[in-house]
Structures are given as C-alpha cells and as structure tokens.
Amino acid sequence: MNFPFKIFIFHTKSSDRLIPPHWHASVELLFCLSGKLDVQFPNQHISLAQQDVLFINSNMIHSSQSPAPGKCLAIQIPLDFLASATENQYGHQFLYKLTPQNATPEVKAILMRIKEQLTKENLWDRLTTKASVYELIAELTKNFRTPLAGIKEIESAKHLPKLKKVNDYIAAHHKEHLSLTSVAEHFNYNPSYFSRFYKKFMGVSFSEYLSSVRLLEAYFKLRDTDHTILEIALDSGFSTVKSFYNAFTKHYGISPQQYRKTYFKK
C-alpha cells in the first residue's frame, strides 16, 4: 500500500531468533495482538503480552525476542514525516513515552482500527488508515510527550555514529577471529575503556553482541540450508562446534540439532 510510513503484522514462533541490538531513524510502535514479545533497551527490559503497546523513539538502541508464539502490529514512521506532522517539535522539544503501563484505551482503539483497515484495499480505506495514523500522532502528542531532558537514552544517541562504525566492522568481520582487544585497537581505543563504553551504551557486552550476530547468521543457515552443524558453526564465525553449541543452547534452551528438527522440519 502506498503509505508514507510502514504498517505490517509480523508473526513470531516460540524461541524465535534474537534480533541483536540495533537502532533506526524511524520511530516504531508495537501493538502485541497475541503471544509475547520481549524488547530490551540498554537499561530497561519490557515484556509485551496481548493488547500491550510500546513506542520506540528514533535512534534508540533496542533488541527483541519472542518467548512465545504470537503476532504484533508494527507501525514504523520516518523521522522526517513525524517531524513535519508535529511542526518540527518531535525530536527537538519532546519525545514520546508510551509503554504497557501507561497505554490508554484510546490508543488501543486507534490501533485496532488500523489493524482492521489493513485488510481493505479501497482508496477510501487507505485514506482512512492515513487519517488514523494522524489521529494516533495527535493522541501521542497530547498525552504521551516527554521533554528531552526527561529521556535518559538521549546520551546514548550521541554515541550512535561511533557505535555504528564499530558494529559495521563487527558485521563485516564476524566470521574472523575477533576479540575485544583487537577491535578496540583497530579503533584506537584503550581495551578497558572500550569494554565499559560498549556495554554502557549498547546494553550488552562486546562478546554478547558478537555472539548474537553469529547466532543470527546460524539461525538462517539452520533454516535455509542443509549444511551440517559443523559447517554452520564455522561459517558463522564460531571457532569450534562446542562454542557454537554452548552459545546456541544458552540462548535457545535446546541444541542446534533439536532446534532445527523442532522448528524447521519440512
């Protein structure tokens, strides 16, 4: 559909893959329709169950995982669109704070309307959806805006360019033998400082992030290929099958073989 924003419903399955810490310029609103979804910020963990709502501000580092099967409505609004809709006040004067604890029936009613409108393809229905998103923005601005001074994560946002360079490097070299010391030295950081800096602003340690990147690649190889566990382990960046097995089992609670058999059996 031709919208200046993205609206979609995504499905999750039990023990679904972890989405590593990331950020994006678009804001994101999540409405849990069924099941559960866990969202992790550097200093906060939020669990969504049915009918729960969460707003993720622009450029806020977060990761997610689905501990139970379900589906969520997601609305991603580009920063420039939201800034224009709020007369350039969002991101300059305030951000939004909408969580499962303070979500109102009015917000949920708007989101349910948007969900129902997604199945319709008439021009007037698309116009109604656009109007509903503007209504949603109005409701957020009226009842959920928070002055920038009240958002702790603003400090993290200042470091995003540095973190992006580091994470891009990890993504490009995760199949190689990477260590905290080697990456720190590549960017001319003291290893001890780099370790504290990364953990503080990413919300996970360097080793945890590197492992999550490798596990995500392994997830797709388990799902989409017939490669052996050994091949998947080494091709995803793990030094041994044992290290892959331990990381996978720690994260998913079952072995790679059991996971493939349970969730990807054809």
Side-chain angles (χ1 to χ4, degrees), residues 16 22 31 43 56 66-67 75 101 125 130 142 151 173 178 192 195-196 204 217 229-230 246 264:
D16 203 0
H22 65 284
F31 182 38
N43 298 301
I56 302 174
S66 51
I75 302 177
Q101 287 69 41
D125 291 311
K130 291 180 182 180
K142 179 181 178 181
I151 303 293
H173 299 276
L178 287 184
S192 296
S195 177
R196 295 191 301 271
V204 296
E217 177 157 338
I229 299 301
L230 173 61
N246 290 340
F264 300 135

Side-chain angles (χ1 to χ4, degrees), residues 40-45 60-63 153 156 199-204:
Q40 179 73 45
F41 297 94
N43 298 301
Q44 186 181 22
H45 177 91
M60 293 301 173
I61 297 172
H62 61 285
S63 60
E153 293 82 1
S156 296
K199 177 65 182 283
K200 179 178 180 180
F201 295 111
M202 282 296 294
V204 296

Side-chain angles (χ1 to χ4, degrees), residues 89-123:
Q89 293 187 40
Y90 177 84
H92 291 87
Q93 296 185 22
F94 62 81
L95 298 179
Y96 296 126
K97 187 174 183 179
L98 172 60
T99 68
Q101 287 69 41
N102 68 349
T104 60
E106 289 78 10
V107 166
K108 295 179 182 181
I110 296 171
L111 292 171
M112 285 301 297
R113 279 208 312 274
I114 292 174
K115 171 186 172 293
E116 297 302 323
Q117 290 158 3
L118 280 182
T119 61
K120 303 174 182 177
E121 299 181 355
N122 295 314
L123 172 60

Side-chain angles (χ1 to χ4, degrees), residues 33-152:
L33 300 171
S34 63
K36 294 182 179 180
L37 181 70
D38 289 344
V39 182
Q40 179 73 45
F41 297 94
N43 298 301
Q44 186 181 22
H45 177 91
I46 297 178
S47 294
L48 303 181
Q50 188 171 2
Q51 292 291 301
D52 281 343
V53 184
L54 176 65
F55 187 94
I56 302 174
N57 284 289
S58 173
N59 290 325
M60 293 301 173
I61 297 172
H62 61 285
S63 60
S64 63
Q65 182 182 12
S66 51
K71 58 183 180 179
C72 287
L73 173 70
I75 302 177
Q76 296 175 343
I77 305 176
L79 180 58
D80 56 355
F81 178 89
L82 184 57
S84 176
T86 58
E87 300 175 1
N88 212 35
Q89 293 187 40
Y90 177 84
H92 291 87
Q93 296 185 22
F94 62 81
L95 298 179
Y96 296 126
K97 187 174 183 179
L98 172 60
T99 68
Q101 287 69 41
N102 68 349
T104 60
E106 289 78 10
V107 166
K108 295 179 182 181
I110 296 171
L111 292 171
M112 285 301 297
R113 279 208 312 274
I114 292 174
K115 171 186 172 293
E116 297 302 323
Q117 290 158 3
L118 280 182
T119 61
K120 303 174 182 177
E121 299 181 355
N122 295 314
L123 172 60
W124 50 88
D125 291 311
R126 294 196 297 272
L127 291 172
T128 301
T129 299
K130 291 180 182 180
S132 294
V133 171
Y134 272 103
E135 184 183 1
L136 177 62
I137 294 172
E139 182 68 20
L140 291 169
T141 305
K142 179 181 178 181
N143 295 310
F144 300 97
R145 69 184 185 279
T146 300
L148 294 185
I151 303 293
K152 295 180 180 179

